Amino acid sequence: MTDTRILVTGGAGFIGSHYVRTLLGPRGPAGVRVTVLDKLTYAGNPANLDPVRDHPGFAFVQGDICDPEAVDRLVAEHDQIVHFAAESHVDRSILGAAEFVRTNVGGTQVLLDAALRHHAGRGAFVHISTDEVYGSLPHGSWPETDPLAPNSPYAASKAAADLIALSYHRTHGLDVRVTRCSNNYGHHHFPEKLIPLFITRLMRGRTVPLYGDGLNVRDWLHIDDHVQGIELVRTKGRPGEVYNIGGGTELTNKELTSLLLEACGAGWESVEYVADRKGHDRRYSVDCTKISRELGYRPRKDFASGLAETVAWYRENQHWWEPLERRAELGSGAG
């Protein structure tokens, strides 16, 4: 029996690298070989892959998913694609949307075209998306059948990518599976997003920015649970389907800030309220009934221990995040 060859785009980033480390780690599936394709933009960090760099089933290619020739060569050599690569920071998309459209929409289409040439009738194309494509809702939770209503340029670019990916299934029969996750947290998270930004600033005795009134609500998903959900979709999911992946812990940004202050030994004098983000979605909440019922998913990491482990990791790995602070010029106060 030959190994399954998986192409992971964006595999040097926060979630993608954890997926690769998990696949090639001691508890990963047998018979899997992984190639990471990553452009190594500001948020891509080769050090994230150091734990698996010497694994016989690992390979790394620096390249752009918008490059049709490079993508075609790689897709032809692999059986499946797990597509993480994306521009993902909402604040950056507000300042300039062009790169988000180019990468998130155009790059996804380049990958899909290559998959259609080489994978028609075989091999899953797992497209990693976000709950932000649904927009904002005051109560309840989004099932996968809810219409998309993105509000930021980032979310709109991901919604467009979702629809293009699903169209390749409906039009061409390509085995496309889409996952939509809630806010991720954990180790190796680039310090421009709320949790790592607050942890690293508080550890330096600096203030942290909290958007608006701090009452925007997010559901928090540990990267271990996100990877678990992705693997269930890759191995057991149905072609042409969308699966929400949530963590089951909804907090206002103010509640989360309080927990981070306590964990870092700081007080509210360290918090600076700043003007709210343009078009800031008030609340996200995904309904995970489908992935739970069909694939047996459930979040295993409770938020208290997950957050404590995350804070401890940043405390013990200052050498990893200190050089990245200079790149995180648009530190954000909200997820």
Side-chain angles (χ1 to χ4, degrees):
M1 184 176 178
T2 59
D3 290 346
T4 301
R5 301 165 300 173
I6 304 174
L7 177 64
V8 178
T9 71
F14 167 48
I15 306 169
S17 66
H18 191 58
Y19 180 71
V20 173
R21 292 191 302 268
T22 302
L23 282 187
L24 298 180
R27 297 182 182 179
V32 166
R33 303 181 67 84
V34 175
T35 299
V36 168
L37 171 63
D38 200 296
K39 189 179 177 181
L40 295 181
T41 61
Y42 76 95
N45 189 347
N48 291 347
L49 297 167
D50 284 349
V52 297
R53 198 164 297 280
D54 296 328
H55 192 288
F58 173 78
F60 178 83
V61 176
Q62 183 173 353
D64 189 347
I65 60 170
C66 296
D67 180 345
E69 293 183 2
V71 166
D72 191 77
R73 286 194 301 271
L74 284 169
V75 170
E77 298 169 354
H78 292 81
D79 305 305
Q80 299 182 351
I81 300 167
V82 182
H83 175 35
F84 292 92
E87 296 288 342
S88 65
H89 194 228
V90 175
D91 285 5
R92 292 179 187 269
S93 80
I94 292 170
L95 293 177
E99 190 61 29
F100 287 76
V101 175
R102 176 186 178 273
T103 299
N104 299 355
V105 183
T108 299
Q109 180 258 319
V110 168
L111 284 161
L112 288 163
D113 279 347
L116 187 61
R117 284 190 292 273
H118 301 291
H119 291 188
R122 65 176 180 86
F125 184 111
V126 183
H127 174 63
I128 311 301
S129 190
T130 170
D131 59 2
E132 297 188 46
V133 301
Y134 293 115
S136 184
L137 80 170
H139 49 78
S141 300
W142 296 297
E144 292 83 351
T145 52
D146 267 20
L148 305 188
N151 291 315
S152 71
Y154 160 63
S157 70
K158 290 298 290 184
D162 288 13
L163 295 176
I164 289 171
L166 291 168
S167 78
Y168 272 64
H169 169 73
R170 292 165 186 151
T171 302
H172 302 292
L174 193 66
D175 184 349
V176 171
R177 309 168 191 193
V178 175
T179 65
R180 293 178 182 149
C181 67
S182 57
N183 278 39
N184 280 228
Y185 75 101
H187 49 83
H188 290 89
H189 202 174
F190 188 79
E192 69 178 356
K193 303 296 179 72
L194 191 155
I195 287 179
L197 176 75
F198 279 33
I199 292 171
T200 54
R201 286 197 175 190
L202 292 170
M203 284 182 179
R204 287 187 175 280
R206 298 171 62 189
T207 60
V208 294
L210 184 60
Y211 276 147
D213 60 10
L215 298 182
N216 302 76
V217 176
R218 299 294 182 264
D219 172 45
W220 291 95
L221 170 68
H222 192 272
I223 48 173
D224 285 352
D225 288 323
H226 190 190
V227 165
Q228 175 209 164
I230 292 167
E231 267 300 89
L232 287 170
V233 171
R234 182 184 73 84
T235 57
K236 300 179 181 179
R238 290 185 289 136
E241 293 296 321
V242 177
Y243 295 90
N244 289 335
I245 305 176
T249 299
E250 290 188 22
L251 297 169
T252 66
N253 287 343
K254 194 170 184 178
E255 289 171 331
L256 177 60
T257 297
S258 180
L259 294 173
L260 289 168
L261 290 171
E262 182 180 358
C264 296
W268 278 96
E269 67 276 4
S270 297
V271 177
E272 179 184 359
Y273 283 88
V274 297
D276 207 357
R277 168 193 288 161
K278 291 182 179 180
H280 197 182
D281 289 333
R282 194 63 166 174
R283 178 175 176 267
Y284 299 152
S285 179
V286 290
D287 183 340
C288 296
T289 301
K290 180 177 179 179
I291 192 171
S292 176
R293 183 182 63 244
E294 289 189 13
L295 307 182
Y297 168 82
R298 62 176 179 83
R300 299 169 180 166
K301 180 77 71 172
D302 71 273
F303 187 76
S305 61
L307 188 65
E309 290 168 10
T310 300
V311 172
W313 188 88
Y314 280 91
R315 184 174 290 117
E316 295 162 8
N317 289 274
Q318 204 161 333
H319 66 279
W320 179 88
W321 56 263
E322 276 189 333
L324 302 180
E325 280 190 314
R326 291 186 292 273
R327 298 194 222 167
E329 297 174 354
L330 291 176
S332 166

